[in-house]
Amino acid sequence: MTATAADVDGYLAEDEVLGDARARGLAAGADPVSAGTGAALALLAATTAARAVVEIGTGSGVSGLWLLRGMAAEGTLTSIDVDPELQRAARRSFLDAGHGPGRLRLINGLALEVLPRLTDGGYDLVLVDVARSGGGARLAPGAADYPDYLAEAIRLLRPGGVLVLDGVLAAGTLDVAEREAGDPAADGDDPAHRAAAGLREVARQVREDERLVPALLPLGDGLLVATRR
């Protein structure tokens, strides 16, 4: 018997705070992680006893709430998003859950400008969650930057730290993406094509990087997880 997405997402029911955060995200055109993905994030944060976590893509706070549930009680979540409206929604979600300013560092800005200012080897977990937008209706332009986020994440993670790339299958299965990338008719200047190519490329890089021990999990739009050696 094969488990369904409904089985996975329904295993740990979301409470009112998470439900409200999800509703705010969908209303604002964000694409919150699934409940099953969120549970996996909490598990990974707890397994690493994470005290310092970086999240690229705050959204309305759904993924951050799940991360905080697994992190050490004194841990700090650094979350980066370019959309100030979404970060205001996320701050409300975090406060509703009882997480004070001491546990949060919300940074409004472009992740690739913010990440270089963070400490080498100073983080237990890095989550990249910007592959989808429009309530899951389309690939986000930020998906094209996943290879650049990977390079920064490897620098930021301590040995034994965990990398999480959400949405790597948002453009379809990886073999389809590879065929499309080799299609001379594909438009390399098209944002959707660049986004799909970025997801395909980051999956290849993670698989081939000897510093990482990866696994691709069938959660949401594909959750690519790797431990930093």
Side-chain angles (χ1 to χ4, degrees):
M1 179 177 177
T2 302
T4 67
D7 293 325
V8 174
D9 289 339
Y11 180 68
L12 293 178
E14 292 187 330
D15 60 18
E16 184 176 353
V17 172
L18 273 165
D20 288 346
R22 182 176 299 281
R24 283 192 286 270
L26 292 173
D31 185 35
V33 298
S34 68
T37 297
L41 294 177
L43 170 68
L44 293 168
T47 300
T48 56
R51 297 167 57 94
V53 173
V54 174
E55 175 186 42
I56 301 168
T58 309
S60 59
V62 174
S63 52
L65 287 171
W66 279 108
L67 285 167
L68 286 162
R69 290 186 177 196
M71 291 169 61
E74 69 278 13
T76 300
L77 172 66
T78 298
S79 190
I80 307 164
D81 203 298
V82 73
D83 188 328
E85 179 182 347
L86 280 174
Q87 282 206 323
R88 283 192 291 271
R91 188 179 298 278
R92 177 180 170 186
S93 300
F94 295 139
L95 291 175
D96 286 350
H99 300 302
R103 298 209 66 191
L104 302 167
R105 183 164 60 152
L106 301 182
I107 302 175
N108 180 238
L110 295 171
L112 290 176
E113 295 179 0
V114 175
L115 293 172
R117 304 201 297 265
L118 303 185
T119 304
D120 291 11
Y123 295 88
D124 304 299
L125 188 151
V126 175
L127 166 65
V128 183
D129 179 24
V130 295
R132 300 288 279 188
S133 62
R138 62 182 181 273
L139 285 177
D145 295 323
Y146 267 52
D148 294 324
Y149 295 143
L150 172 63
E152 290 291 340
I154 291 173
R155 177 184 64 80
L156 293 173
L157 284 170
R158 64 167 173 80
V162 172
L163 165 71
V164 185
L165 299 169
D166 186 46
V168 295
L169 300 179
T173 60
L174 293 177
D175 61 330
V176 170
E178 288 173 0
R179 290 199 300 271
E180 290 177 349
D183 182 357
D187 183 1
D189 293 327
D190 177 67
H193 177 74
R194 290 199 303 271
L199 295 176
R200 172 187 57 82
E201 175 62 15
V202 80
R204 182 193 66 79
Q205 289 181 4
V206 169
R207 183 177 57 210
E208 297 180 1
D209 195 317
E210 295 184 354
R211 296 169 294 180
L212 301 174
V213 180
L216 180 57
L217 307 181
L219 293 170
D221 284 324
L223 197 68
L224 183 54
V225 178
T227 297
R228 173 82 155 89
R229 292 184 187 273

